[in-house]
């Protein structure tokens, strides 16, 4: 199969998991684990998995000049991003979180043009705006879930911090992806994340009653560690080898759509004409952002391999 198609499938897979995660993770907090304690579980579990699979990867040494960027990727992608999202999710609603993260593509789009010189075209700009309109429509006309949401305003602000931080991470990690194997990048950024997150998260982690957790909480925690953390970061880092950072960012628009579809499947929500129309806008927007036009290669600057 074509590498670009595989990369698109990987990006879609990551968005699929993220979309489901908004509800899965919400249902386990704060009854069984507080948000910051959940983050320590996430980064520790993912770090262990990445170091384990790195045995089958190349033995690469990180250049001294790349360590500041690697640490920055950890700070924005596995510290600020995760802490703000899970804290926000404990205060607000899954539907709010799934729509607010859709500002990520806009942030990535702008930063990619400024920092790594990705080309801005009318079609891709139009796709970003179209996808945003569709994602916004899904929420504006969606049924809000207000239970277990003690401070929606603060939670929504934290979602904005989360989306901005993750957008910065996608742009920062792009040059590293072109230079190192995915396993090498992930094992180090998650190990660094454990060290940075530890003082903020250890107290809530220790408060968890691990021996009395019901199966419903255990499988949700496992989903967040193995699916939402390990799998999604691996899928996105693979996709970044073939796609632009802004293209990966555009897949965030699928999250509110997936979240609503998941709610429909489990019987918690229903489809209507407005939602179907909004979903169509999301798919069209993602298509426009991800489609490519074959052009003569005059310069390597802006290529997906940068």
């Amino acid at each position: 199969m074509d590498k670009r198609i595989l990369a698109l499938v990987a990006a879609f897979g990551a968005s699929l998991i993220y979309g489901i995660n908004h509800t899965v993770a919400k249902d386990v907090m704060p009854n069984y684990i507080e948000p910051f304690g959940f983050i320590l579980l996430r980064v520790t579990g993912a770090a262990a998995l990445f170091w384990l699979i790195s045995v089958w990867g190349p033995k690469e040494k990180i250049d001294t000049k790349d360590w500041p960027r690697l640490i920055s990727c950890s700070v924005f992608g596995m510290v600020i991003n995760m802490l703000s999202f899970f804290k926000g999710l404990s205060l607000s609603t899954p539907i709010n979180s799934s729509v607010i993260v859709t500002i990520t593509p806009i942030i990535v789009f702008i930063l990619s043009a400024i920092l790594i010189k990705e080309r801005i075209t009318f079609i891709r700009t139009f796709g970003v705006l179209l996808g945003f309109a569709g994602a916004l429509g899904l929420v504006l006309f969606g049924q809000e879930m207000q239970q277990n949401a003690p401070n929606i305003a603060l939670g929504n602000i934290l979602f904005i911090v989360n989306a901005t931080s993750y957008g910065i991470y996608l742009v920062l990690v792009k040059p590293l992806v072109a230079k190192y194997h995915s396993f090498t990048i992930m094992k180090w950024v998650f190990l660094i994340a454990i060290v940075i997150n530890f003082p903020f998260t250890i107290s809530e982690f220790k408060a968890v009653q691990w021996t009395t957790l019901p199966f419903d909480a255990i499988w949700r925690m496992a989903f967040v560690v193995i699916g939402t953390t390990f799998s999604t970061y691996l899928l996105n880092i693979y996709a970044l080898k073939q796609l632009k950072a802004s293209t990966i960012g555009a897949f965030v628009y699928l999250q509110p759509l997936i979240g609503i579809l998941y709610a429909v499947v489990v019987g918690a929500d229903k489809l209507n004409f407005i939602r179907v129309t909004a979903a169509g806008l999301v798919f069209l927007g993602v298509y426009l952002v991800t489609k490519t036009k074959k052009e003569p290669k005059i310069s390597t600057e802006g290529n997906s391999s940068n």
Side-chain angles (χ1 to χ4, degrees), residues 6-80:
L6 283 175
L8 291 171
V9 171
F12 174 79
S15 289
L16 177 65
I17 296 171
Y18 277 135
I20 295 173
N21 178 66
H22 291 279
T23 298
V24 172
K26 174 68 175 180
D27 288 345
V28 82
M29 297 182 297
N31 294 332
Y32 301 110
I33 188 169
E34 293 287 346
F36 283 9
F38 213 158
I39 297 307
L40 186 57
L41 177 65
R42 285 187 71 181
V43 296
T44 303
L49 291 171
F50 279 118
W51 276 91
L52 178 63
I53 65 170
S54 69
V55 172
W56 292 278
K59 304 302 181 284
E60 297 175 312
K61 183 179 179 181
I62 303 295
D63 289 347
T64 303
K65 65 178 182 179
D66 290 329
W67 278 108
R69 180 178 289 270
L70 200 69
I71 294 171
S72 296
C73 286
S74 185
V75 170
F76 286 104
M78 292 83 189
V79 180
I80 298 174

Side-chain angles (χ1 to χ4, degrees), residues 68-262:
R69 180 178 289 270
L70 200 69
I71 294 171
S72 296
C73 286
S74 185
V75 170
F76 286 104
M78 292 83 189
V79 180
I80 298 174
N81 164 49
M82 290 187 180
L83 291 175
S84 58
F85 175 76
F86 267 55
K87 187 63 177 180
L89 194 58
S90 71
L91 297 173
S92 188
T93 68
I95 290 181
N96 279 344
S97 69
S98 66
V99 72
I100 292 175
V101 296
T102 58
I103 69 171
T104 299
I106 297 174
I107 295 166
V108 175
F109 195 59
I110 295 171
L111 291 178
S112 295
I114 296 172
L115 299 179
I116 57 178
K117 311 302 181 185
E118 283 192 0
R119 290 176 51 196
I120 294 180
T121 65
F122 172 77
I123 292 296
R124 297 182 73 227
T125 303
F126 182 66
V128 167
L129 295 176
L130 202 62
F132 179 73
L136 191 60
L138 285 171
V139 174
L140 291 178
F141 299 100
Q143 182 180 347
E144 287 251 343
M145 296 186 294
Q146 299 296 330
Q147 69 270 22
N148 196 21
N151 194 333
I152 291 178
L154 178 57
N156 289 349
I157 292 173
L158 290 172
F159 289 146
I160 294 174
V161 173
N162 153 249
T164 304
S165 181
Y166 189 68
I168 294 172
Y169 159 75
L170 285 177
V171 175
L172 287 176
V173 80
K174 177 66 174 176
L176 296 177
V177 170
K179 188 173 182 179
Y180 301 104
H181 191 276
S182 302
F183 296 171
T184 302
I185 298 171
M186 290 293 97
K187 73 178 184 180
W188 283 114
V189 291
F190 273 99
L191 184 61
I192 294 168
I194 293 175
V195 176
I196 300 175
N197 277 308
F198 189 84
F200 306 105
T201 59
I202 186 59
S203 60
E204 291 188 2
F205 183 82
K206 290 168 61 178
V208 178
Q209 302 297 316
W210 297 103
T211 57
T212 60
L213 287 175
F215 177 74
D216 184 64
I218 293 172
W219 82 258
R220 291 175 188 277
M221 290 180 179
F223 178 88
V224 171
V225 172
I226 300 172
T228 311
T229 313
F230 174 74
S231 298
T232 55
Y233 276 85
L234 189 60
L235 288 170
N236 273 336
I237 210 74
Y238 171 79
L240 274 168
K241 288 185 176 295
Q242 302 297 328
L243 307 173
K244 295 177 183 294
S246 53
T247 300
I248 302 296
F251 276 84
V252 172
Y253 287 139
L254 293 174
Q255 289 188 34
L257 171 61
I258 292 168
I260 288 177
L261 289 177
Y262 178 73

Side-chain angles (χ1 to χ4, degrees), residues 291-295:
K291 74 190 295 284
T292 57
K293 182 170 66 174
K294 292 185 178 179
E295 300 174 352

